[in-house]
Amino acid sequence: SVHVKESFARRRVFSIGEPIAADEPARLVAGGAPEDIVALAPVTELAPGAEYDSVGSVSVASVDRLMAANADYPAWVRDRYLQLPATLPSEVRLLARQVAGDEKNPYRIAVRIEDYLRRSYVYALDIGQRPPQQDSVQYFLFDRRQGYSDYFASSMAVMLRAAGVPSRVAVGFALSDEDRDPVTKDFVVSDQQSWVWPQVYFPGSGWVDFNPTPTRPAVARLGEPRSEEHTSELQSRGL
């Protein structure tokens, strides 16, 4: 249930996880195919005072399930989510191959790249001006080596695609219990919780969240050896 106190994202219906439905009149925003649901857009812009209920889904796929997923991707996934520009610097492709190593399993490749970014780069909001015409992922990975969640998420998505693993970037909000109102127990969401993270496609499980940005925990999964270091977070699709 969402109550809009002050709208800073008037053209999206918020949901926990992937949007499924809402009682607010809205249309589905799809990517390259009808199955590729990206967001729910309200028919009219959301204004302060608006209230609605929404339904979303969050993957609870276990490590074993993700490890067992094959690479038989639907055509709409291959066509859209393995694309890379011809101008992508070769050193980005090379780094992706080096981090993936001889690993062939898509889940293990994703974990390798996620861990590499979490260990090797620094979160920072003030990173200065990127040189004109320079590829942003190249700038983050090889020059500045620090940035905010946009840079971490984009870099992981690009590196995954370079390693042959379908990926995309999701935009929304990352919430924790600290964001709850102590009296009403409602979550209070503002642009301070805005977050960007990559998702990886696994046949049979759909889009699965990862978090390479080190200031928030990686996503906990059933059967994950690293789970004692992780805490799960609610991620709300909104933008």
Side-chain angles (χ1 to χ4, degrees):
S1 296
V2 179
H3 172 74
V4 181
K5 290 184 64 177
E6 183 178 343
S7 181
F8 52 88
R10 301 187 178 197
R11 298 183 180 180
R12 288 292 183 265
V13 171
F14 288 7
S15 67
I16 296 295
E18 302 301 306
I20 295 176
D23 62 2
E24 171 74 21
R27 61 180 178 85
L28 287 172
V29 180
E35 306 95 321
D36 186 18
I37 304 303
V38 177
L40 284 173
V43 173
T44 58
E45 291 189 357
L46 296 170
E51 293 186 346
Y52 60 87
D53 292 339
S54 66
V55 179
S57 66
V58 177
S59 173
V60 293
S62 67
V63 171
D64 288 344
R65 181 182 178 91
L66 298 177
M67 286 276 292
N70 59 45
D72 186 17
Y73 303 115
W76 63 267
V77 172
R78 294 194 307 270
D79 293 344
R80 184 177 179 90
Y81 295 107
L82 285 173
Q83 292 184 23
L84 286 172
T87 56
L88 182 70
S90 59
E91 59 185 338
V92 176
R93 295 180 185 270
L94 179 60
L95 178 63
R97 296 192 191 103
Q98 289 175 340
V99 175
D102 57 0
E103 185 58 67
K104 304 300 182 185
N105 184 276
Y107 176 72
R108 285 177 173 165
I109 292 174
V111 170
R112 282 191 178 190
I113 293 175
E114 180 186 47
D115 285 346
Y116 172 78
L117 291 172
R118 292 179 67 86
R119 292 194 317 267
S120 305
Y121 298 88
V122 176
Y123 180 84
L125 293 176
D126 185 8
I127 61 172
Q129 187 69 33
R130 174 168 56 92
Q133 307 302 317
Q134 184 176 7
D135 181 88
S136 60
V137 169
Q138 178 193 42
Y139 173 68
F140 170 73
L141 290 174
F142 297 99
D143 296 331
R144 192 63 182 179
R145 301 187 66 85
Q146 58 181 319
Y148 35 91
S149 62
D150 305 52
Y151 282 95
F152 283 89
S154 298
S155 295
M156 181 168 175
V158 168
M159 291 175 70
L160 282 168
R161 292 188 185 191
V165 180
S167 59
R168 69 181 185 183
V169 171
V171 179
F173 303 86
L175 308 180
S176 64
D177 283 338
E178 297 174 354
D179 300 313
R180 283 186 182 272
D181 184 288
V183 177
T184 66
K185 305 303 180 183
D186 294 336
F187 283 105
V188 179
V189 183
S190 73
D191 57 1
Q192 298 300 311
Q193 287 88 34
S194 62
W195 201 250
V196 182
W197 65 96
Q199 295 181 313
V200 180
Y201 188 87
F202 295 92
S205 297
W207 291 107
V208 176
D209 295 332
F210 285 79
N211 179 37
T213 308
T215 52
R216 288 187 178 272
V219 179
R221 306 186 208 283
L222 183 64
E224 173 61 70
R226 305 173 300 162
S227 60
E228 67 274 5
E229 301 174 5
H230 296 184
T231 59
S232 60
E233 293 187 337
L234 299 176
Q235 293 177 319
S236 175
R237 294 289 293 274
L239 297 181

